[in-house]
Amino acid sequence: MAARGGRIWLPGPLSWRARVAGRGGICWVAGRARKRKSAFGSGAELREAALRVLDRHQNLNDLLLERSQSVMLLFGFQVEDAAKPGGQESVKNQEVSSESFTVSVLQEQALRLGVPAAILAAKNAVTNIERICQDSASPSEAPLLNLDQRKRLSGLLQTMKDLLANNVFCRSVFCQEMWKMKAPPVLEAVWHLHRGDVIGLGELLESSPSVPAAVEWLCGGLSGLCEQAEGTHGDEEVAGHVLSGKTPKQALQEGAERAAVRLDQYQSDFAIVFLQNGFQQTSELGRKLEFKKVPNICHAVLQRMLTWVLDAVGKEKQEDVSTSQAVRFWLNVFNVSLYKSVVHPDSLQQFFRHTLTEVLTYNPLLKVSDAIHMQKEWSFTRTCSLLTTLYRKLFVAFSAKESILQLQQVLETHEVNWQHILSCVSTLVVCQAEAEQLFRDLLSRLLIKAFENYDMENMITAFLIARQAALEGPAVFMPYSEWFKASFGNAGGHQGSSKKALVFLFEFLSELVPFEAALYLKVHIMYPPFVPTKHRSILLEYITLAKTRLADLKVAIEDMGLYEDLSSTDETVQSLPFATQTTVIILTLKEQTGKIIVTLDFSQHLPLVATRVIKPQGQALRDVEKALQIFENTRKIPTSVIEASIFRRPYYTSWFLPALLRPRVLPRTPDARMAFIDSLKRADKIPSNLYSTYMQACRAMKEKMLQDESKAETSPCKEPVEQLEAELAELRMLTVDEAKYEDVPAQIAVISDRLASVLGHSGDENGAATLNSPIQVDVSSPRLERGHQGVVDLLLTSFCQNLIAASYFNPPDRQGPCLSLLVKMMCGHRNLLPALLGRLCQLIYHQGPSLDDAHILGLAAFVIHLSESRALIPEVEASFGISQPVPGKVLSVSEYWNSLLVCRTEESFAFCLRFCTAAASYLMCKFSSCSHEDLCALFPPDLVKKLQYLVPRLSLEARGILCEEPKTDPIWSSLSQSSLNYRRASLCLWKQARFQELLKEEAFQLSFREWLLLELEVYPEKDILSASERQDFHHWAIYQRYLPAPSASGGCDGDLEKACGVIINTVLDSSQRLDLGGCVTSKMSIRPDVLCRLQEMVLELGCRPKSLSGCSDLRRHFLFEILQERLKDRKHGSALSEQLWRRQELLLHRRILVGLPASALIVTCRKGKKTMLDCEDFFHFVNSELKNVCSRGYALSYDITAHFFRGLLNASVGCEEPAEGVNNVLAVCQTKCPVLLFSAALWWPRLEPVLCSQWRRLFQAPLAEGLEQLRAGQSTAARFLSSGAVFQPSSPPWTSAAFLHCVLQQQSPCGRGRDVLKRLGTDVEQARQCISHLLISLLFFSLMDLISAKIAPKEGVDFQPSLEWSLEILQCLEERGTSWPLLFPSAENDPGKYHVLHSAASDRHIQLLPLAFYSLTPAFRPELLTREPTFLLVALDLYVQLLRLFVEGTDLPQSDQVGEVPDLAECGDPVELITTARRFLLGAIPRCPARSFGNIRSLVSVCEELDPELGVTLLHFSRPEAAMELEEELLLF
């Protein structure tokens, strides 16, 4: 019945081949059966015949494979026919019959062979697996099957599962037979067995006859699997097809021809087995006692594969790319997420801890000396990426504290691989934010242990870890210099406990010297450990040793520069010349409807060129920049440069001068560099040949530029910039993907490394010295270091694009740490900060209103993160050009960028509102989860205060108490839209309950004074508010906001006087500060609208009820109390700057007083039943302060004089007898404030019509007697000069003298003065004494004019006429025999006689009376010496004063206009005047009678000190016998 050629003809229903044939097969058996008549009579006969055929020809292996093929065909049938009615039932029946048929055949064959069916099935299955694995063109050791093998194996696995289900398959025999195969099975086949629950990997490994062989097979297969996973395109397709992790059966259901296997699933399944068995826990041992070999095998495989990884790490540069990719594929085993709940947590911890220990102790061949020398190459960015990836995966399983404790434990108990240890430290500080403090604690513990036991190992460990962490920059760890200072730089350091500890430290440092890099030696020299004075020799020995080592390294201490910056760890820096053009980066974000394009451009200036430098050239360039800054401020050669030219000649000539004299195209107008070079040349600090070479090179450069002006400078190497751009682009990809936030710290570290390359030297360490030195920024004209602007623009652009890209996908609080870390990294590059802050100044201060919305959003967020990193940024010394607010004042970074936000014009108001709203909104959204206390710590107070000023000013709605919480939070979302409405957004921010809570904090409350300072900066003519709107705003702010508010919140407690005091002080402070943007109005002017508010408040104060107590009981006038309080705390030194400040302050005081209601100068009070006028406070203020700003010396200016008299008349209205009140005040003036009467005399021609008109308007009565006397004094003097009438002086005579002197100055030509004096002598004898007082008073006023001509020549008083008039008066007095020397105040004479005159003169005029006295020497007659016994005393005292004026330098003339100094040639030569005075005294002393020497003893010693020759002469002639022995008479003239 068997067909020929091996073909069996089985017609009828028992032909299972025909039943299961699919559409691809040819059903010719069934077709023949239908055409022929059956030869068998019944079905039983047919079955018997079929069994005989099978018995003779069956092959069990073929049967199992045919079963496999039938299964595959069955799947095809199922797809085709399952939809037909009854199709699924048919398939199910066929599967069951097929399974039972296979089992029955297998059992019958086993029965014949006398072998159990299960054993027979296992052996035949192994035979089939071996055939499947060998039927391949690929090498037998290949870990993957091809498509055909995978199909066949899939069917076999299904059959094996069926046999297992029927208990006809022996697992143990199968495992034993597997190890007897000629070649090891393909790893994928084993995975299918394990994954399909046929034979677990553990069972297979346990049956291995040889543990080493099993380990070798597994490791070879796993490494081959990793290599093949990263190999050809076909294998990549296989590796990536089933990424969903579907089982092989599910994959086959999608189509066997496209079935694939996920290779990382192999890894995860195997890794789970390895981990479960290789690191068993005690609780799991009972469950796994059946496995004895498996734990050893699994542990050995993991160890062997880790060794494979570490070998590849050590040979990364030699290995090809495929090997590195294969190793990287294996690192997926260390993904914690693979194990989830399938592995015991303790096993996972044990595995990762063991792995970390093995990595740190792998191949410990490097010595400590190697680590010291090479650790710079083991930073995070320079470490093999395979190793850093492994570390980062391991650290996921631990907290930062656990990782560092494990590191410490390994260091204490093992021999370690220092490269791996230190690269682990770098990875930890970069990738773990809390690692910095933990490492500080570890270093502290190590040092404590080291000094307790004098253990060198702990010392070297601490130093290596500190240096390694510092290599990653101050953004992640403190600089090494700062750590060294903190640890050893003070008496409380570890070495300070004893001499033994000190010796131990220096022995350790000395042992390091032969291996040290120059940088660390410099740190140890610049910041030496604290050493008690008695042990100073120990330190000096080390410094000598360190300097010797530096000399061996060819690094001299002299090459450290004039202003050394120990922030660089690179000893040499490669050149980085590059030219950048406008940086425009387009970021495209795809979405379903299209794309968003964001274009940001921060480069709006010329292309930049960065110059390559190699240390110490780089330090020399920085020294030159620092020296130029000092020279610009002082206009003097810095002392450090002069000292270097003498004591550090090698550095000065070899480095500093070449850096200064770099050829360039010289500007037409000499700049600071040219002036500096010229100063050095004139001081012979630049050799002539070097200067000539420099000038020739500059001329050659200019000629070259002119020849080829259009040719752009090209850059030979743009690679560093391009690398930086590429890394920033990579960061953008991480920013928008939340799943990749954990990779951000590592990417930031890479960017930091690229940035250091671009900048020209590493910014990985920021020395303590540089942190203490402020960053200087010229706000009026910020200058950026060559080459840095392009880098700053690139970084700012990247930041803004990252922000906008991230905001498109997530709100700020879900954007991860990218932006914060990026800014923190920038702050860590100390040499970038000046350019960064200068660029912010350009963008915010100078170009702010022109920035578009994207720029403003980006910059606002940037400054928030800048403030967040303020601890890394030194203070900023902001210079505003010629108008600097307070010299020497430095600002924090938050205060700095707030100072750039000026509100003066309509454009600047709009920009500031947009910027501050964006900044505050971003901060509140970014840190929305923070507590109120944390938010307060993050918020820059100046930002909140600026918003408190801006929002109510520009929004009427915000001037009420609005604290409604909106239903939505539109702040950030509204700012992120393309069309921005900043007023709406700012109002929305203002209404936020959380923002209102901030405003309740004392630190954030805008005080009345701060509000006024901001308001005084506004330019009224360019204000965003109209005049009426501004007035409304002022009224709201003063009367509704600040006046009723308590002082704790910046208000005035309802006190009008307090509010007036705040306004006055603020106005004066604001006027004293020079305008930051250029003087638009005069510094002496006061804002009219602010002055109006002050006038309103002063008038309201005047409406208070009069005091019922006496005037003497009243407290001081609040106005003058405020003004004098400002002057009281100032020192009264002779420094010119202090004098100028005080003068300007008093001029401002006068301006305020004149601007207030005139009656405010007078206090009205009740005394008994009468109303009295009290001017005591005003008189005191005039006598002590205001008279010192009068240029005439004896009279106030017209404005304050007229203001007082008008106020006097107005205030007298409240008196029952106005004329009596006025008379009383003027009577008091004669003794307590005569300068007011002298002022009235000077200005009476202008003052009279004003006062007479006012009196008539107020009273319609005759003029008050006091005023009438003033008018009479003027008219009497005028008649005397014009008609020759007799002059009748009034009482007191100095008032008449004042009127006469003023009328003479206004009317009389110089030649008539002598005639006037003669006519005064025609008076009757009884008035002679009065006339003498009158003449002395005239002399006093003329001397005041003479001094005024010296110090204020522009006031209309000429020196020569004043001198001639004074000499005429003096001659007249001499002719009359009148005693006049006591007019000049002396410490010895009685000031009472002429006290009134002296009290009216300014302090400056009184101080310069010696100048006037010795100008009168031509009129001194010889008989004066004998007639006036006090003359010698006065002359000597004034001569001493004159010498002191000259010695102290206080005789410099000053003008009434601040800052103006008259020509010294017009003032005479002070030396000539002193010579004249000295010659006069030397001639006069011998002629003086003995009684003249009686009261000069106190002056003799002073004269001996100041003028020894004069002192000797005085001493000689003051003896009685000297006068008797005089042999010849000295001529005086």
Side-chain angles (χ1 to χ4, degrees), residues 1170-1171 1212-1224 1255 1259:
K1170 298 183 66 175
T1171 301
S1212 68
V1213 174
C1215 298
E1216 292 77 6
E1217 296 292 337
E1220 183 182 353
V1222 172
N1223 294 336
N1224 290 337
W1255 183 267
F1259 305 111

Side-chain angles (χ1 to χ4, degrees), residues 721-733:
V721 180
E722 293 172 354
Q723 289 179 354
L724 178 61
E725 290 180 359
E727 299 301 342
L728 289 172
E730 179 66 25
L731 181 65
R732 283 196 293 277
M733 298 302 103

Side-chain angles (χ1 to χ4, degrees), residues 13 227 242 253 261 488 537 741 779 910 974 1075 1150 1281 1297 1462:
E227 293 171 358
V242 192
Q253 287 175 348
V261 181
F488 309 108
S537 58
Y741 283 170
V779 176
S974 64
D1075 185 74
R1150 189 178 73 189
L1281 292 178

Side-chain angles (χ1 to χ4, degrees), residues 287-318:
R287 182 167 51 87
K288 297 185 178 181
L289 286 177
E290 66 273 14
F291 289 158
K292 297 181 179 180
K293 299 178 182 179
V294 174
N296 295 331
I297 294 174
C298 292
H299 192 280
V301 169
L302 291 174
Q303 186 68 30
R304 179 85 170 269
M305 293 303 293
L306 179 61
T307 303
W308 177 59
V309 171
L310 296 178
D311 287 340
V313 168
K315 301 176 182 178
E316 185 185 29
K317 295 182 179 179
Q318 291 79 23

Side-chain angles (χ1 to χ4, degrees), residues 1410-1426:
L1411 181 146
F1413 178 85
Y1414 282 104
S1415 298
L1416 301 178
T1417 51
F1420 293 167
R1421 298 183 177 183
E1423 57 269 21
L1424 180 63
L1425 302 176
T1426 57

